[in-house]
Amino acid sequence: MNPAQQAAVQATDGPVLILAGAGSGKTRVLTSRIAWLLDQRLARPWEILALTFTNKAAREMSERIAQLVDGSVRDMWVGTFHSIFARILRREAEFLGYGRNFTIYDSDDQLKVVQDCMERLSLKNGQLNPKRVRSAISNAKNAMLDPDTFATSDSGFIHEKLSDIYRDYAIQLKQSNAMDFDDLLLKPIDLFRAYPERLKVYQERFRFLLIDEYQDTNQAQFEVARLLAQEHANICVVGDDDQSIYGWRGADLRNILDFERTWTGTRIFKLEQNYRSTEVILEAAHAVVSRNQSRHPKRLWTQNGRGELIPLLVGEDESLEAALICRRILEHREQGGSLRDVALLYRTNAQSRALEEAFMRHGLRYQIVGGTRFYERREIKDLLAYLRLLVNSQDTVSLLRVINTPRRGIGDATIAQARAIFQREGLSFLDGVERFELLAELGRGAPGRLVEFGKLIHDLRSLMDSGKPTEVLELLLEQTRYIEHLEAEGPEGKARVENVRELQAALQHYEENSELGLAGFLEEVALVADVDGWDDKEDHVTLMTVHSAKGLEFPVVFVTGLEEGLFPLAGALDDPLQLEEERRLFYVAATRAMRRLFLCFARMRRRYGQAGGGMPSSFLDMIPEELLDRSQAGRLLGSGLRGSWRDAQASWQSDPHTKPGEPVRGGTPSWKPAPRVTSPPPPARPGFAGGELELDPAELPPPSRKPARADSKLGADRERAALLNQYSPFRKAEPVRDPSSQLAEIADPADLFPGAKVLHETLGKGVIIHLTGFGGETRVSVRFESVGVKKLVARLAKLRLIG
DNA sequence: CTTCGCTAGGTTTTT
DNA sequence: CCTAGCGAAG
């Protein structure tokens, strides 16, 4: 351990701020510090509270502590903010008028409540959009504004309506015995303020508080930490202002920048030696982030050596960008590297699609982290909603979700009437269902169906009390005939059934390893993050957003989609604060790399299916020339053309943070606000082209946008397909000369690619639109001439490639 | 009450 | 381009 690290570990008394740059051994310091506290008998395990942002980070921390000290980790509270405070809230629920079986609402559930409130307040078709409302409520909560305070914080018609909805929303949640994510941080504050003696209990208990990724805390987290630590002032926070990337979620950089002012007597330790990356990588990352105004000045250094230059990979479009990356990965593997070494990072989840297709085509194993999550799939949410309703009978969102799923003839009209009746009688929905006489006015069929539903829930609940969680789920599936319901959906349903099986397996696993039952399972499920599902043991390339990648490291990293408007994102371009966050995001991305960093972009990228222009990211301009390797791209993307990027950009983008005296090469001095010009269009850049292709991409035919109607361009498509496939280890695409003259073999799923023309035994000719690889099964969307678009399982579809 | 077909809007990032 | 969500018809 270096002297700075050692000092940080041993400064056990009073407030401590550890400014830990990327790769500076932050986790090591944090865990050693805990081990030190225990070794020196300064603290006993249960007196330590360590808070992280992801379960993965928490797990890693626990494991590493366990290696340092023996055994006693079990009594220590190490977990995410959300899980730790959920735990505290369950214990203290009665003080807040909640039941300890409260449900945690995710953002989907929140939206349902908001919509319900808006309907009730007749604001459904106004200018307020439910998602906006949801985010307004969330922002209010992050700023610790309750409905009353929020109401007086601003004025105007819209704000008034927002306040009304927020107030109703809070009431609905309470009535449903439910808390949203934000509540998990806010309610503890309410509790501690209203019941100082409860606060005291936790203050006494947690004499040592440690917080990881402190730069990402919001005001509520700041406050709850302050409350807990104010007694002993043994608060140690670790963070890096350059890695604050959750501003949009309410993270407040001031928390870390002002820490020493909040806590008198703060000792600050700076960890600036990086053990992860090469000098080249660090310099590139620094070149971008150092333009920010809001940061502690600092500079990482390393003894890892200079390292290799950063290749620039330029693809004609997103598919070719992906193909170039695949080629590099294949090279890496040929040189004895493992796929596990490699990560692809992107700004938005939508970018994963083109990359995924390329990986499939090249036969490279990959795992996408994030995107649509398992627990957010419809079939999973349906079943979880049943289980949630069993645990918490007041959970309205879940009730409304399952009451007519699968269809049992209880529609909106019935529900609305029944709700009205029960409300009048002061009954909860499920209680009301048991009062048959009240239901008479609902007409002929409805009462019976409602009672039947009530009985279903009743039976399931009795089994929950006596049996195992897996048995409950089994009975649920049986009674609702849910599997049959899914199977009736056709091929789509088959995959959903698989997901249900996975849920059963997950529940079984939980049951075998925990005592906490159904309620515990639901809590765990509610609080998983995308990264938590990431499997770092398997040999595959990892694809994820930059946000998900924080805290991770990989020997080889590709940062993709470095186009102005994508990374940095368009919405951030004219807001200095957001632009700073984008730069930090780039900094995070680049500093994930240990040995090798690649920067990639595409000259053209389809968005919403429409072609869009890709100007190289302004970040690329900030990186000193001598760090980049344009040896291959350089043929066409040479120094002479560099200015033209900037010229083009300068005409429509100004960079408010470029310091005077540091004019950007070839551009207008940008501290003088550049006029926002919409025309003329950026100058054409002939021959500004594609990376490392051996074929000159300038001679490449443009990709046809709509393969289905591209008959006249078939030749072009074929050539393009050949290019895309040229690196495939399995096969060289060999287009059939005359489609009608011969019947091709049934294609191996790995041979299929978007744009390929195929022949199906019964459905006839079609064109592949795209491929997906969920659950290890390649699925293929084909637009058939006869029947339109069909989704098929590639393995079973017996498709033949035709010319 | 359900089903079908159309359209508008969505892609920032997530506990 | 894709899909969720809405309105109209059965």
Side-chain angles (χ1 to χ4, degrees), chain A residues 244-385:
Chain A
S244 166
I245 56 176
Y246 286 102
W248 51 274
R249 202 170 87 186
D252 194 339
L253 205 41
R254 284 175 307 180
N255 288 350
I256 191 164
L257 295 175
D258 295 346
F259 184 85
E260 49 188 303
R261 255 167 290 178
T262 313
W263 296 92
T264 47
T266 296
R267 279 176 292 171
I268 303 180
F269 300 92
K270 290 190 186 185
L271 308 182
E272 289 182 292
Q273 180 174 3
N274 170 293
Y275 295 94
R276 179 186 294 154
S277 312
T278 65
E279 273 174 25
V280 165
I281 292 167
L282 292 183
E283 279 174 29
H286 184 258
V288 174
V289 84
S290 61
R291 303 209 170 205
N292 283 354
Q293 306 284 292
S294 314
R295 69 187 287 270
H296 285 294
K298 63 185 136 350
R299 179 156 205 155
L300 292 180
W301 58 277
T302 184
Q303 293 177 336
N304 289 349
R306 195 71 197 143
E308 291 185 74
L309 297 184
I310 301 168
L312 210 56
L313 267 39
V314 186
E316 180 87 5
D317 62 15
E318 71 271 22
S319 306
L320 290 168
E321 178 194 34
L324 291 172
I325 293 168
C326 285
R327 183 190 166 186
R328 291 308 193 114
I329 295 172
L330 289 166
E331 270 176 28
H332 169 76
R333 196 167 63 175
E334 276 157 28
Q335 290 160 11
S338 147
L339 295 184
R340 198 180 318 149
D341 298 342
V342 182
L344 270 65
L345 307 182
Y346 36 80
R347 181 65 236 276
T348 68
N349 276 308
Q351 290 164 251
S352 66
R353 170 104 159 251
L355 299 167
E356 186 177 10
E357 283 168 2
F359 276 84
M360 278 194 279
R361 207 179 296 118
H362 288 84
L364 288 166
R365 287 183 51 78
Y366 64 93
Q367 183 183 11
I368 295 182
V369 177
T372 21
R373 294 186 250 183
F374 181 72
Y375 291 111
E376 277 168 18
R377 294 178 190 194
R378 175 162 56 81
E379 62 279 16
I380 301 304
K381 289 218 72 168
D382 284 346
L383 295 174
L384 290 178

Side-chain angles (χ1 to χ4, degrees), chain A residues 46-74:
Chain A
W46 56 88
E47 293 173 327
I48 294 172
L49 173 62
L51 297 168
T52 65
F53 275 83
T54 65
N55 296 301
K56 186 174 164 43
R59 207 178 316 129
E60 190 183 335
M61 202 185 290
S62 305
E63 279 165 13
R64 286 173 66 168
I65 296 167
Q67 284 166 12
L68 294 174
V69 300
D70 30 29
S72 47
V73 199
R74 259 194 306 136

